[in-house]
């Protein structure tokens, strides 16, 4: 009996030592250049590729026509929805997902789902469906039981609803577009939440981007990255442009703040200057209206798509007081975007030659444009 207990204790000790060794190797992978996968084994990667192919062959059909496909990659916290600036140990511990305090924790940013659907669907021929939205998140895979994205998750359902409405009302994209929770969501690790190791979040997201690339045709698939100025999304983007700049069409970063947005008042936060990283446009924004305008300027979204994002963003703020700073941010970006659209939509919101009036989408976009003018005047 005693011998059996000693043998059991020895086995448990061996397991603990093995786990510690793997954890240490993983922690120092960026420095040692270790090749061991940090988020999935070789078998897991094969399974992910298989799920991606099965998803494409059933729900997300990809035609052999066309030279390129664009896959939109997004972060979650402080990019799609606000973290609320929640921190451990009241206000002195590490942030739980981000630092944005302008929006309540869990609140979706106005226009974010329309923005993703428009980017994914732009320029596709009728016989080619958009690639599913990919997610690179710092959420720990060890906590997937609590934090994993599922088809029933509200965020996933909102992307699906945006795609359905875009297709049904405007004939754009596919009603089956959205997040493939099994194949295109890549998580971080608890190790990146250890004080002193949070800088590894950027490396982890870059490592996951490389895994995502392996599931696609590298010659035909390009990417658009959407993140925020926290959670090391910019570090991930810099690593991508340094290693494979030809793979990235553009990067958009949501500028967030824990408290300086209140000090800035109606003028809004001062944004970093837009720039180019190794040939890749890097664009900063406070609202998804501005993100859509800059995407339009980069040739990644048409004027109709920009109008639809503006409409969704302003509609989401219908119940917010007009003196609220969230309203001020969106209104300011709508005013700038209306100037941009002035080259596409003529006086009275009537389409010009740049917006084909024969298309139902153009006719509906023109009516939305009139509502936006009323929004600015309000």
């Amino acid at each position: 009996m005693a011998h059996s207990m000693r043998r059991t204790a020895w086995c448990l000790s061996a397991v603990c030592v093995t786990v510690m060794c793997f954890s240490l190797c993983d922690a120092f992978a960026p420095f040692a250049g270790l090749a061991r996968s940090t988020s999935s084994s070789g078998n897991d990667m094969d399974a992910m590729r298989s799920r991606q192919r099965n998803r494409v062959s059933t729900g997300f059909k990809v035609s052999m026509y066309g030279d390129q496909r664009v896959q939109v990659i997004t972060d979650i916290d402080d990019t799609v929805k606000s973290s609320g600036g929640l921190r451990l140990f009241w206000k002195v511990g590490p942030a739980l997902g981000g630092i944005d305090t302008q929006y309540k924790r869990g609140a979706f940013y106005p226009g974010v789902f329309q923005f993703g659907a428009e980017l994914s669907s732009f320029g596709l021929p009728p016989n080619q469906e958009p690639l599913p939205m990919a997610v690179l998140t710092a959420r720990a895979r060890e906590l997937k039981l609590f934090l994993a994205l599922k088809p029933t998750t509200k965020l996933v359902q909102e992307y699906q609803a945006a795609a359905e409405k875009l297709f049904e009302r405007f004939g754009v994209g596919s009603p089956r577009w959205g997040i493939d929770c099994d194949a295109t969501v890549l998580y971080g690790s608890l190790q990146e939440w250890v004080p002193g190791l949070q800088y590894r979040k950027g490396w982890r997201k870059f490592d996951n981007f490389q895994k995502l690339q392996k599931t696609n045709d590298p010659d035909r698939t390009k990417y658009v990255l959407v993140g925020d100025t926290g959670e090391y999304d910019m570090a991930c983007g810099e690593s991508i442009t340094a290693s494979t700049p030809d793979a990235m069409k553009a990067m958009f970063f949501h500028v967030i703040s824990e408290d300086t947005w209140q000090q800035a008042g109606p003028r809004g936060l001062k944004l970093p200057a837009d720039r180019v990283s190794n040939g890749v446009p890097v664009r900063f924004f406070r609202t998804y209206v501005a993100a859509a305008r800059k995407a339009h300027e980069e040739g990644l979204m048409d004027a109709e798509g920009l109008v639809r994002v503006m409409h969704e963003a302003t509609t989401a703020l219908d119940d917010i007081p007009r003196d609220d700073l969230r309203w001020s941010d969106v209104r300011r970006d709508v005013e700038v975007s209306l100037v941009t659209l002035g080259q596409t939509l003529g006086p009275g919101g009537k389409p010009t030659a740049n917006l084909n009036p024969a298309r139902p989408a153009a006719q509906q976009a023109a009516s939305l444009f009139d509502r936006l003018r009323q929004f600015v005047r309000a």
Side-chain angles (χ1 to χ4, degrees):
M1 179 68 177
H3 175 71
S4 177
M5 292 180 64
R6 284 196 300 272
R7 184 171 60 183
T8 301
W10 183 87
C11 291
L12 290 173
S13 299
V15 169
C16 291
V17 170
T18 301
V19 170
M20 290 176 63
C21 288
F22 274 105
S23 298
L24 288 172
C25 289
D26 202 23
F28 288 94
F31 307 102
L34 297 179
R36 185 177 65 84
S37 171
T38 57
S39 65
S40 60
S41 65
N43 290 335
D44 290 337
M45 281 299 301
D46 291 339
M48 189 169 77
R49 294 190 190 99
S50 176
R51 287 195 299 268
Q52 177 83 315
R53 286 192 294 267
N54 290 339
R55 181 68 166 179
V56 167
S57 64
T58 55
F60 293 90
K61 298 179 181 178
V62 177
S63 168
M64 295 304 293
Y65 304 100
D67 295 332
Q68 283 190 359
R69 302 174 298 168
V70 173
Q71 185 162 41
V72 181
I73 306 171
T74 187
D75 176 46
I76 297 178
D77 298 303
D78 283 357
T79 299
V80 176
K81 65 177 185 176
S82 174
S83 66
L86 186 64
R87 291 181 176 273
L88 285 175
F89 311 118
W90 190 234
K91 294 184 179 181
V92 297
L96 293 177
I99 62 171
D100 183 29
T101 59
Q102 185 176 22
Y103 285 78
K104 293 181 179 179
R105 182 173 177 81
F108 297 123
Y109 295 109
V112 61
F113 302 111
Q114 192 70 32
F115 179 73
E118 297 287 353
L119 280 179
S120 298
S121 304
F122 174 67
L124 291 179
N127 63 340
Q128 183 170 316
E129 296 200 10
L131 286 172
M133 173 75 80
V135 177
L136 300 182
T137 176
R139 296 183 177 192
R141 63 177 182 269
E142 294 89 347
L143 301 178
K144 285 175 64 175
L145 178 64
F146 309 101
L147 300 177
L149 295 184
K150 306 177 181 67
T152 55
T153 303
K154 187 176 181 181
L155 180 150
V156 176
Q157 293 177 335
E158 290 291 338
Y159 272 117
Q160 178 75 44
E164 291 174 354
K165 184 165 66 173
L166 181 61
F167 181 79
E168 293 170 1
R169 291 186 60 188
F170 299 95
V172 176
S174 166
R176 293 176 292 276
W177 178 83
I179 295 176
D180 186 337
C181 298
D182 294 325
T184 60
V185 181
L186 296 101
Y187 297 89
S189 169
L190 280 176
Q191 293 174 5
E192 285 94 58
W193 293 89
V194 176
L197 292 179
Q198 292 196 349
Y199 68 92
R200 296 181 73 254
K201 291 179 181 179
W203 167 79
R204 176 76 69 179
K205 290 183 179 183
F206 171 61
D207 185 60
N208 282 338
F209 169 75
Q210 292 179 309
K211 291 179 171 63
L212 177 68
Q213 272 191 303
K214 294 177 181 178
T215 68
N216 290 318
D217 181 345
D219 296 325
R220 296 183 59 233
T221 307
K222 305 299 180 183
Y223 302 89
V224 174
L225 177 65
V226 185
D228 59 78
T229 53
E231 290 297 293
Y232 297 92
D233 293 338
M234 294 175 61
C236 169
E238 293 291 342
S239 297
I240 294 173
T241 57
S243 61
T244 54
D246 292 340
M248 191 66 60
K249 294 186 75 69
M251 300 188 294
F252 297 87
F253 295 110
H254 182 209
V255 178
I256 55 175
S257 162
E258 193 162 13
D259 49 28
T260 54
W261 63 270
Q262 294 174 313
Q263 302 167 11
R267 301 187 311 275
L269 284 175
K270 185 177 181 180
L271 303 185
D274 291 340
R275 54 188 174 84
V276 175
S277 177
N278 204 10
V280 178
V282 180
R283 301 294 178 257
F284 298 94
F285 65 94
R286 274 292 284 164
T287 75
Y288 278 93
V289 171
R293 173 177 58 82
K294 294 184 178 186
H296 174 57
E297 293 170 347
E298 292 299 325
L300 298 173
M301 185 182 299
D302 58 19
E304 298 161 15
L306 170 56
V307 170
R308 288 189 289 264
V309 174
M310 295 166 66
H311 175 259
E312 291 298 321
T314 54
T315 300
L317 297 177
D318 278 345
D319 297 330
I320 293 179
R322 289 296 187 260
D323 59 351
D324 191 289
L325 292 181
R326 291 171 292 179
W327 189 90
S328 299
D329 286 343
V330 170
R331 175 174 177 169
R332 183 172 53 252
D333 287 337
V334 165
E335 291 175 341
V336 176
S337 297
L338 288 177
V339 174
T340 300
L341 285 168
Q343 301 174 355
T344 303
L345 293 172
K350 296 181 180 180
T352 67
N354 293 327
L355 192 62
N356 185 355
R359 294 171 56 189
Q363 296 170 359
Q364 295 194 49
S367 66
L368 296 180
F369 181 74
D370 185 60
R371 181 194 184 279
L372 293 171
R373 290 189 304 157
Q374 296 175 6
F375 172 83
V376 172
R377 290 197 298 265

